[in-house]
Amino acid sequence: MESNVKQVDSVKKQRLIHTAQRLFGRFGFKKTTIEEIIRLTRIAKGTFYKYFPNKEALFLEIVKEESANLISAIRKAVARSSNSQEKMKYYIATKVSKIIELVNFHQITRENIDEYWPHIEEVRENYLNEEQKIVHEIIINGISNGEFEVTNPELTAYVIVMTIEGLESTWRIKTSPMELGEAIELFLNILFRGILKNKFQP
């Protein structure tokens, strides 16, 4: 009996999360109301507060879930190959393909971060740290199998992640003169081949 109650609770909570996820993604955090979430989920108002004390807590839960899903998807994609260049491509391609799906996670970069609460910033920092770990692992793998020559793997991982973040940001606010996929391909070409002529000697 207790097991059935927990299962029903879990289903209701997930319905609530999925409904809110769509509304937040479409209208943003500010314009989405608890009343609208409740109406579309078709639950009692008391049921909402049983799971979440306020709208902020619900949004935080969604952002955490989207963040974890993205990291999981990237790790699965990267694991598909032992080739480090392919791993780097899979990492970037997977992240790019998930942008539209994870609108709430990326919403916090489109709106003023000061209007949110410290926990959201913490979630984003934790995500970026995990992403840097993945890129760092790719670089270390590339060094060990002779593909890469990198003097500072940790700093290089940081620069790569921040560069991809920058490309994403300009694409999301439509200030980039090229499509994101095109920009990523150019970035990978520069990353792997550089811009100096082979015969150049410093």
Side-chain angles (χ1 to χ4, degrees), residues 50-95:
K50 176 182 178 181
Y51 302 121
F52 302 102
N54 49 46
K55 186 174 70 169
E56 287 83 358
L58 174 55
F59 185 72
L60 178 59
E61 177 94 359
I62 290 171
V63 171
K64 283 182 176 179
E65 187 175 294
E66 289 185 348
S67 171
N69 288 342
L70 179 53
I71 288 296
S72 176
I74 291 174
R75 285 200 175 278
K76 286 179 182 177
V78 167
R80 287 162 49 191
S81 175
S82 60
N83 180 289
S84 298
Q85 288 192 48
E86 284 189 357
K87 283 179 180 290
M88 194 70 76
K89 289 179 181 179
Y90 287 150
Y91 145 63
I92 297 175
T94 302
K95 182 174 180 181

Side-chain angles (χ1 to χ4, degrees), residues 30-172:
K30 294 179 188 175
K31 293 182 180 179
T32 300
T33 65
I34 291 177
E35 287 70 25
E36 185 68 4
I37 295 171
I38 290 170
R39 185 181 70 81
L40 292 178
T41 311
R42 296 179 181 177
I43 62 170
K45 194 167 187 177
T47 303
F48 177 93
Y49 290 106
K50 176 182 178 181
Y51 302 121
F52 302 102
N54 49 46
K55 186 174 70 169
E56 287 83 358
L58 174 55
F59 185 72
L60 178 59
E61 177 94 359
I62 290 171
V63 171
K64 283 182 176 179
E65 187 175 294
E66 289 185 348
S67 171
N69 288 342
L70 179 53
I71 288 296
S72 176
I74 291 174
R75 285 200 175 278
K76 286 179 182 177
V78 167
R80 287 162 49 191
S81 175
S82 60
N83 180 289
S84 298
Q85 288 192 48
E86 284 189 357
K87 283 179 180 290
M88 194 70 76
K89 289 179 181 179
Y90 287 150
Y91 145 63
I92 297 175
T94 302
K95 182 174 180 181
V96 168
S97 69
K98 290 286 183 180
I99 288 178
I100 295 176
E101 294 177 37
L102 305 177
V103 289
N104 295 292
F105 179 58
H106 291 285
Q107 188 80 7
I108 61 175
T109 65
R110 293 199 295 268
E111 298 185 26
N112 189 347
I113 193 66
D114 293 334
E115 294 176 5
Y116 291 89
W117 47 102
H119 297 298
I120 288 295
E121 190 171 4
E122 183 180 339
V123 170
R124 184 135 185 93
E125 285 179 3
N126 289 339
Y127 163 77
L128 288 175
N129 287 336
E130 287 301 311
E131 189 176 336
Q132 286 169 36
K133 285 180 186 177
I134 293 172
V135 177
H136 184 261
E137 290 167 8
I138 294 173
I139 293 171
I140 294 299
N141 182 75
I143 293 172
S144 65
N145 64 22
E147 288 183 72
F148 299 156
E149 185 177 355
V150 180
T151 56
N152 192 327
E154 190 171 345
L155 184 58
T156 302
Y158 172 81
V159 170
I160 290 173
V161 169
M162 290 301 104
T163 301
I164 298 301
E165 283 291 302
L167 288 173
E168 281 185 20
S169 297
T170 57
W171 181 76
R172 284 196 299 271

Side-chain angles (χ1 to χ4, degrees), residues 5-29:
V5 171
K6 286 183 178 179
Q7 188 174 4
V8 171
D9 279 349
S10 177
V11 170
K12 285 184 178 179
K13 185 177 180 181
Q14 283 306 309
R15 278 175 50 207
L16 194 57
I17 288 173
H18 292 156
T19 299
Q21 191 173 27
R22 292 195 305 272
L23 290 173
F24 286 140
R26 184 175 179 183
F27 301 110
F29 173 77

